[in-house]
Amino acid sequence: MTEIYTDELKAAAPSLTAGDQILLSGTVYTSRDAAHKRIFSLLERGLPLPYSIKGAVVYYAGPTPAKPGMAIGACGPTTSSRMDRYAPTMLDMGLAAMIGKGPRSAPVIDAIQRNGALYLCAIGGAGALACKHIINCRVLAFADLGCESVKELTFHKFPLFVGIDASARSIFKV
C-alpha cells in the first residue's frame, strides 16, 4: 500500500484508481449530518467556516470519547449518502476527498469527476481498529454536538481504499 499525505492527495488523485488501497497520513476533519447543516448555515450567512474547504479531507465519522492514553475513541465511518446533498457544493469549493462508507449519488460522482477529487472508503465496523491510526484529535467547532462536532484529526497511515476515483470509476458499480 502507498502512503499518501493529505496535502498531496489532490495531486495524487489522477494516479489512483477505484479499488486501490492507500495509507493516509495528515490532517482530516470529521463532519456528519448536523455539522454539515451548520457549515452550510455559515456559508449562507457569509460567516467564517471552522476550516478551509479547499484541499481538505472530510471524514464522515462521529468518534466516541477517548480512552486513557488514546487520542480518540472508536472512529469508524458513517453512511456517506446522508451527506450527498452537501457534497457537490463542498467539492466545487475545492474539497480534495471524502471518507465514509457506502455508495454515492450521481450528482456526487459527477462533482468528484468535475473537481478531480476522491471518495475514500474506510471499513465499517472497525472503528476500534481505526482509532489506532489517529494520533491527535481536537474539537474545532460545534462542541455542543458531542460526537458530531467538527474535529481536526491527525491520521498516521490510516488504511483506506479508493471507492470512487477522479475519473468517476467506482467500486460500487456492478
Side-chain angles (χ1 to χ4, degrees):
M1 277 190 270
T2 303
E3 182 176 8
I4 300 175
Y5 290 86
T6 53
D7 59 352
E8 301 167 348
L9 195 54
K10 193 77 167 177
S15 67
L16 295 170
T17 301
D20 286 352
Q21 297 178 7
I22 66 167
L23 298 172
L24 189 63
S25 295
T27 302
V28 174
Y29 302 97
T30 64
S31 191
R32 285 179 42 163
D33 315 56
H36 271 72
K37 186 175 180 181
R38 288 199 187 170
I39 287 168
F40 272 70
S41 175
L42 293 172
L43 280 171
E44 289 169 0
R45 295 182 287 156
L47 297 173
L49 300 179
Y51 58 91
S52 174
I53 303 294
K54 187 169 179 63
V57 177
V58 172
Y59 185 20
Y60 303 138
T64 64
K67 293 183 179 180
M70 298 293 291
I72 197 167
C75 192
T78 195
T79 303
S80 301
S81 62
R82 295 198 327 251
M83 274 56 71
D84 278 4
R85 64 181 155 178
Y86 305 108
T89 299
M90 293 181 78
L91 288 159
D92 289 342
M93 291 174 65
L95 189 67
M98 304 154 290
I99 302 168
K101 68 178 181 182
R104 305 306 298 266
S105 67
V108 174
I109 295 168
D110 291 345
I112 289 169
Q113 183 175 26
R114 179 171 64 246
N115 293 287
L118 295 167
Y119 171 50
L120 303 170
C121 294
I123 304 299
L129 177 62
C131 73
K132 295 179 182 182
H133 295 276
I134 300 171
I135 58 175
N136 191 43
C137 172
R138 72 180 176 107
V139 175
L140 282 186
F142 320 134
D144 61 302
L145 295 178
C147 73
E148 287 202 41
S149 64
V150 172
K151 295 172 185 66
E152 179 183 78
L153 307 178
T154 305
F155 278 17
H156 178 71
K157 297 183 178 181
F158 195 104
L160 299 164
F161 57 93
V162 178
I164 302 170
D165 65 29
S167 297
R169 292 175 294 235
S170 174
I171 62 167
F172 299 102
K173 292 181 182 176
V174 283

